[in-house]
Each structure stands twice: as C-alpha cells, then as structure tokens.
Amino acid sequence: GAPQPAAQLDIDHDGRMFWDSEPVATLAALEQRLRAHAQHSPDTPLQVHADARVRYALVAQALAAAQRSQVRKIAVEPIADE
C-alpha cells in the first residue's frame, strides 16, 4: 500500500500544541494521541514543528512523551523566524 502521510505535531510560539491541526490541550492528551499513533501507524513518521520562540523544555517534554509512547520515527523541524 501507499505510505502513510506523516503525522504532524505543531507547537506554536505560545506553547500551544496541535496534532494534524487539531488543538491538543495537555501533555497527557498528547501522549494518548502518540500511543494511538504508535499502535496504528508504527511506520508513519511523526513530524514535530516547533516555533523557534517556544521554550525548549516544552519541546523536550513532547519528544519524551513520544519516546514513552513507542513512536519509532520522529523528525524535529524547527520553524525559522519569519
């Protein structure tokens, strides 16, 4: 079959998170999405787009949650300042 399009996690400059454009309110909610992603689409990469102004600690927490959830393929792409 055709490869799955990557799942996308965006973190904006205020630290708000969006999974494929849908708002994710908390890290716990993010972890649920990550677990479902790892179970249903283990070979689909997760692309993390983090605004350059966001606190790195938040990005690190999101990546740690992805690893705990057994997401195998993670690509982090910082968003350059316009």
Side-chain angles (χ1 to χ4, degrees):
Q4 295 276 333
Q8 190 161 325
L9 172 66
D10 291 290
I11 305 175
D12 74 7
H13 64 277
D14 288 326
R16 287 181 303 221
M17 296 179 289
F18 299 88
W19 181 274
D20 287 340
S21 303
E22 288 180 29
V24 179
T26 64
L27 276 168
L30 174 64
E31 206 155 332
Q32 285 183 323
R33 299 258 181 151
L34 290 163
R35 272 199 296 271
H37 173 77
Q39 280 183 331
H40 301 298
S41 320
D43 295 321
T44 303
L46 171 66
Q47 289 185 328
V48 180
H49 294 267
D51 189 284
R53 290 160 294 184
V54 78
R55 285 181 311 125
Y56 184 73
L58 184 63
V59 179
Q61 286 176 321
L63 293 176
Q67 287 179 322
R68 277 197 304 276
S69 303
Q70 258 94 65
V71 175
R72 289 210 288 259
K73 299 179 181 178
I74 305 169
V76 181
E77 298 172 17
I79 298 171
D81 280 336
E82 293 299 312

